[in-house]
Amino acid sequence: MVTGDPNVLDRRALNRSLLARQLLLERAGLPAVEAVGHLVGMQAQAPNPPYIGLWTRLAGFRIEDLADRVRAREVVRLVLMRGTIHLVTAQDCLALRPVLQGALEQGLKGTFGRKLAGLDTADVVALGRELVEKEPLTLGGLGTLLAERWPDRDPFALANAVRNLVPLVQVPPRGLWGESGQAVHTTAESWLGGTLAESTSPDAMVERYLAAFGPATVKDIQTWSGMTRLADSVNRLRPRLRTFRDENGLELLDLADAPLPDPGMPVPVRFLPEFDNILLSHADRSRILTDEQRKLVFTRNGLIKSTFLVDGFVRGLWRIEQARKEATLVIEPFGTLGRKDRDAVAEEGSSLLAFAAASATTRGLRFD
């Protein structure tokens, strides 16, 4: 719907703005670490999705471009926004964790409050920090050791108390392409040789969110971060923000100099990995997928499936089936694709398959 009012942004205007800020209009010539920083991290429940997320956003991206940075401790994986695992720069690890600490503490109370009731968590934190700095541990291993001190407590709850109250990073080989096995943890301070930022103000984080996901409502920012009561931060920033309205009359906040591309501009087909933040970072996700599509993409057990975009919007799912040296990209459109769009999906899909299944001697593509 085109309103004719420059202060009202319709679905397509919000879509094109989101794609531009997510580096999806054209592949950017950025180093991997700089791209991860611009995106304010990448959700990374599994090791491989951030690699595909960067491949679809960056020109000439290679697996080594990120894997080498993981080994060099320039990017790390830890619990941050929404209490989920994110791949972030070392700098953002130390800067964002104090900002999000309150939300993580609330999340711990909500999930494990009863199992931790009456326990001095400061003692748990102190011992947990000592244990993982002595030797990186899995959460299971950490819980077992903590239960030796508190045998009447649930080991999993004890381990999660440490993970939510202490910035625990997952150390390599976790986070490397194709590597499996359980995640082992140590503290961010010991792994990075740095100290956490003193400031807990969310203001800088809010501005960076808008640069990567805006324009957006206060509720959108809270959905992405997992924090509440961000209106105070927005009000402090308001003098240097510009505002719009969406088609429902809700206020949209934005940086003064952020791009607002032509809503009618053509955009390329893009393949997104599992858990891509572009699908998770707004309360109102209609700028990229419908409620009906969301039911097909978001599973009941918390998985977010891999999707592809046509004309900037989600149009279906994809997966790679591998058997020995054969790899097949399976594409599942949500509806009929026209010949032009189908050809564009197939062409981009072939490039994805060459990247993600480089060792396969036989590659194929199938529409289901």
Side-chain angles (χ1 to χ4, degrees):
M1 177 178 122
V2 178
T3 66
D5 185 342
N7 294 314
V8 176
L9 301 180
D10 64 14
R11 183 173 181 243
R12 290 188 67 86
L14 291 174
N15 175 268
R16 289 338 191 223
S17 297
L18 179 61
L19 295 179
R21 301 178 200 197
Q22 285 287 302
L23 312 178
L24 291 170
L25 289 183
E26 58 181 353
R27 285 184 165 92
L30 296 176
V33 174
E34 187 173 337
V36 172
H38 168 75
L39 297 169
V40 205
M42 307 178 76
Q43 188 158 326
Q45 252 79 333
N48 287 358
Y51 290 85
I52 295 173
L54 290 176
W55 169 83
T56 206
R57 290 173 166 89
L58 302 182
F61 175 77
R62 304 169 306 151
I63 288 172
E64 295 78 11
D65 295 338
L66 180 59
D68 289 348
R69 305 283 68 80
V70 172
R71 295 187 185 97
R73 310 188 187 193
E74 295 178 32
V75 291
V76 293
R77 295 159 51 88
L78 78 161
V79 172
L80 283 174
M81 285 73 74
R82 304 183 297 280
T84 57
I85 299 293
H86 274 70
L87 176 82
V88 295
T89 66
Q91 181 179 359
D92 278 345
C93 169
L94 298 174
L96 292 176
R97 181 58 187 244
V99 176
L100 296 160
Q101 188 61 43
L104 294 174
E105 291 173 3
Q106 287 300 117
L108 179 67
K109 291 178 182 178
T111 306
F112 296 102
R114 289 185 179 180
K115 293 183 178 180
L116 298 172
L119 185 65
D120 187 343
T121 54
D123 289 343
V124 178
V125 163
L127 180 55
R129 179 182 288 274
E130 178 183 338
L131 290 169
V132 297
E133 289 185 347
K134 179 180 179 182
E135 177 187 7
L137 296 168
T138 65
L139 283 185
L142 175 60
T144 297
L145 293 175
L146 291 170
E148 293 178 3
R149 172 81 174 271
W150 293 279
D152 60 330
R153 300 289 179 161
D154 178 17
F156 189 60
L158 293 171
N160 275 274
V162 177
R163 188 174 73 160
N164 278 44
L165 300 176
V166 179
L168 296 186
V169 299
Q170 299 180 356
V171 304
R174 191 69 171 178
L176 300 179
W177 175 271
E179 295 286 347
S180 58
Q182 292 183 293
V184 294
H185 307 77
T186 189
T187 64
E189 298 96 324
S190 64
W191 184 250
L192 299 175
T195 57
L196 296 175
E198 294 183 2
S199 174
T200 59
S201 169
D203 294 8
M205 183 189 72
V206 168
E207 289 185 291
R208 292 184 60 198
Y209 167 83
L210 293 175
F213 295 96
T217 65
V218 173
K219 191 174 181 179
D220 289 330
I221 307 170
Q222 293 179 163
T223 295
W224 167 78
S225 65
M227 297 178 66
T228 58
R229 302 178 181 178
L230 288 178
D232 288 345
S233 175
V234 167
N235 288 332
R236 287 193 296 270
L237 295 170
R238 193 175 288 278
R240 58 177 184 265
L241 298 178
R242 57 180 172 175
T243 60
F244 302 94
R245 295 281 172 183
D246 68 11
E247 294 172 296
N248 297 315
L250 297 177
E251 182 184 52
L252 298 166
L253 305 152
D254 203 10
L255 302 179
D257 58 352
L260 288 174
D262 180 356
M265 71 180 300
V267 298
V269 167
R270 289 288 184 252
F271 281 78
L272 302 175
E274 299 169 287
F275 304 108
D276 198 286
N277 265 343
I278 198 172
L279 303 181
L280 296 166
S281 300
H282 298 87
D284 178 4
R285 298 177 172 94
S286 63
R287 68 187 68 198
I288 194 165
L289 82 167
T290 66
D291 288 340
E292 291 74 18
Q293 292 169 342
R294 181 179 176 179
K295 296 173 184 177
L296 301 173
V297 175
F298 290 56
T299 69
R300 291 183 177 179
N301 58 355
L303 298 180
I304 313 299
K305 297 180 181 180
S306 303
T307 59
F308 65 88
L309 310 179
V310 175
D311 189 33
F313 296 92
V314 170
R315 289 293 301 276
L317 308 174
W318 65 270
R319 67 182 186 276
I320 295 177
E321 295 180 350
Q322 291 186 280
R324 297 182 180 180
K325 288 294 184 178
E326 296 183 1
T328 302
L329 176 65
V330 181
I331 298 171
E332 301 179 15
F334 289 150
T336 303
L337 294 175
R339 176 69 64 83
K340 183 178 179 181
D341 289 338
R342 186 183 177 95
D343 290 347
V345 169
E347 181 179 1
E348 183 70 1
S350 296
S351 297
L352 168 63
L353 196 57
F355 169 81
S359 62
T361 56
T362 302
R363 303 189 193 103
L365 186 148
R366 184 177 81 242
F367 282 86
D368 278 358

